[in-house]
Amino acid sequence: MDLKNWFSNFVGSTSLNNIDNKKLKKYCQNLKESHPGRIISNYKGWQSENLNLQSPIIKNLVSEIEKELSPFKKILDLKEKFTFKVISIWANINTMRDFNIPHIHTFSMLSGVYYVSASKHSGDLRFLNPNLFSFGYLRNESEIFKKYNMYNCNNVFSKPENSKLVIFPSHLLHYVLPNHTKKDRISLSFNCDILENVGHTRDAR
């Protein structure tokens, strides 16, 4: 039998060791004190408006994020004249029991999150199988599968931790579990799109 893998997804993660989290944490806390924030996917938690990409502290973080985007250019087999760039970024502060409902990010190709202040109990980032009729919805997964793999899993998760960067396709449905600690979970989420390398600012889709 000729088997082919189609419609694959991916999630990448790494640590950013050149970011001053104490300074970034204070920056996010000051934003929360001075702005009411917005509600999109967040339940009770605070989320900022899109931040100025040229602000020095944000510009530094964006620069470090963009250094980690090259593997995705290879995975998606982009033509050489295109590259990934961060096009928007915003801050999130979730207190105890705050969470984010399932959602996707529109008008971008890659999305991600950087954890400024978090622990393993401050709420997993979970990704759902885009196929709503996956095996897990039909029967109890534990009854029929020996172990989970890329073909049979219903959802996967990523544990939050300080300085962790997670990047994934913007169309991948995801949500954040409630924060079960008394300490704020502070993160910055972002969107990336493809831009031409030679002075053009419009994507190639």
Side-chain angles (χ1 to χ4, degrees), residues 24 27 31 38 48-66 69 84-91 188-193 195 201:
L24 199 52
Y27 172 83
L31 280 176
R38 65 186 182 186
S48 75
E49 301 290 340
N50 287 342
L51 303 176
N52 182 0
L53 294 174
Q54 298 305 312
S55 171
I57 190 169
I58 296 301
K59 189 174 183 178
N60 180 51
L61 175 61
V62 166
S63 176
E64 293 299 311
I65 291 172
E66 290 182 341
L69 296 178
F84 281 112
K85 290 289 185 180
V86 173
I87 58 171
S88 61
I89 190 167
W90 59 94
L188 287 108
S189 298
F190 57 90
N191 290 325
C192 308
D193 211 346
L195 302 177
T201 58

Side-chain angles (χ1 to χ4, degrees), residues 144-159:
I144 57 178
F145 301 129
K146 294 178 181 179
K147 61 181 180 179
Y148 296 124
N149 60 39
M150 64 180 290
Y151 301 108
N152 65 26
C153 65
N154 183 35
N155 65 80
V156 295
F157 65 89
S158 176
K159 289 284 185 184

Side-chain angles (χ1 to χ4, degrees), residues 104-161:
I104 62 171
H105 294 206
T106 56
F107 306 110
S108 59
M109 289 193 71
L110 296 176
S111 296
V113 59
Y114 174 73
Y115 294 99
V116 179
S117 180
S119 70
K120 63 181 181 180
H121 298 299
S122 59
D124 293 354
L125 172 59
R126 294 211 169 186
F127 299 95
L128 295 171
N129 189 329
N131 181 3
L132 297 180
F133 296 98
S134 61
F135 299 114
Y137 288 96
L138 302 176
R139 299 184 64 173
N140 188 329
E141 295 169 319
S142 62
E143 292 180 355
I144 57 178
F145 301 129
K146 294 178 181 179
K147 61 181 180 179
Y148 296 124
N149 60 39
M150 64 180 290
Y151 301 108
N152 65 26
C153 65
N154 183 35
N155 65 80
V156 295
F157 65 89
S158 176
K159 289 284 185 184
E161 58 185 77

Side-chain angles (χ1 to χ4, degrees), residues 2-205:
D2 181 24
L3 292 177
K4 292 183 173 63
N5 297 326
W6 291 109
F7 310 119
S8 295
N9 281 300
F10 51 84
V11 177
S13 64
T14 189
S15 292
L16 299 184
N17 299 316
N18 296 322
I19 300 297
D20 187 341
N21 282 338
K22 289 184 178 179
K23 187 175 180 181
L24 199 52
K25 179 179 180 179
K26 187 63 177 176
Y27 172 83
C28 293
Q29 290 172 331
N30 287 340
L31 280 176
K32 183 180 179 182
E33 292 176 1
S34 58
H35 298 282
R38 65 186 182 186
I39 297 176
I40 298 183
S41 69
N42 47 312
Y43 180 80
K44 292 186 177 180
W46 178 85
Q47 182 180 115
S48 75
E49 301 290 340
N50 287 342
L51 303 176
N52 182 0
L53 294 174
Q54 298 305 312
S55 171
I57 190 169
I58 296 301
K59 189 174 183 178
N60 180 51
L61 175 61
V62 166
S63 176
E64 293 299 311
I65 291 172
E66 290 182 341
K67 291 177 183 178
E68 304 296 333
L69 296 178
S70 56
F72 303 102
K73 179 175 179 178
K74 184 175 182 180
I75 289 172
L76 295 172
D77 206 16
L78 292 186
K79 293 183 177 180
E80 287 302 315
K81 68 176 181 176
F82 298 112
T83 191
F84 281 112
K85 290 289 185 180
V86 173
I87 58 171
S88 61
I89 190 167
W90 59 94
N92 311 284
I93 299 181
N94 282 17
T95 58
M96 192 172 186
R97 298 188 180 89
D98 295 344
F99 62 92
N100 291 71
I101 63 174
H103 64 285
I104 62 171
H105 294 206
T106 56
F107 306 110
S108 59
M109 289 193 71
L110 296 176
S111 296
V113 59
Y114 174 73
Y115 294 99
V116 179
S117 180
S119 70
K120 63 181 181 180
H121 298 299
S122 59
D124 293 354
L125 172 59
R126 294 211 169 186
F127 299 95
L128 295 171
N129 189 329
N131 181 3
L132 297 180
F133 296 98
S134 61
F135 299 114
Y137 288 96
L138 302 176
R139 299 184 64 173
N140 188 329
E141 295 169 319
S142 62
E143 292 180 355
I144 57 178
F145 301 129
K146 294 178 181 179
K147 61 181 180 179
Y148 296 124
N149 60 39
M150 64 180 290
Y151 301 108
N152 65 26
C153 65
N154 183 35
N155 65 80
V156 295
F157 65 89
S158 176
K159 289 284 185 184
E161 58 185 77
N162 290 348
S163 302
K164 185 176 184 179
L165 174 70
V166 182
I167 299 174
F168 51 90
S170 299
H171 63 258
L172 194 54
L173 189 64
H174 59 285
Y175 63 103
V176 181
L177 292 182
N179 181 2
H180 290 297
T181 74
K182 294 183 179 179
K183 294 183 177 180
D184 290 348
R185 180 181 67 232
I186 301 177
S187 65
L188 287 108
S189 298
F190 57 90
N191 290 325
C192 308
D193 211 346
I194 50 173
L195 302 177
E196 288 193 49
N197 290 323
V198 286
H200 297 286
T201 58
R202 190 56 245 164
D203 68 342
R205 287 175 297 171

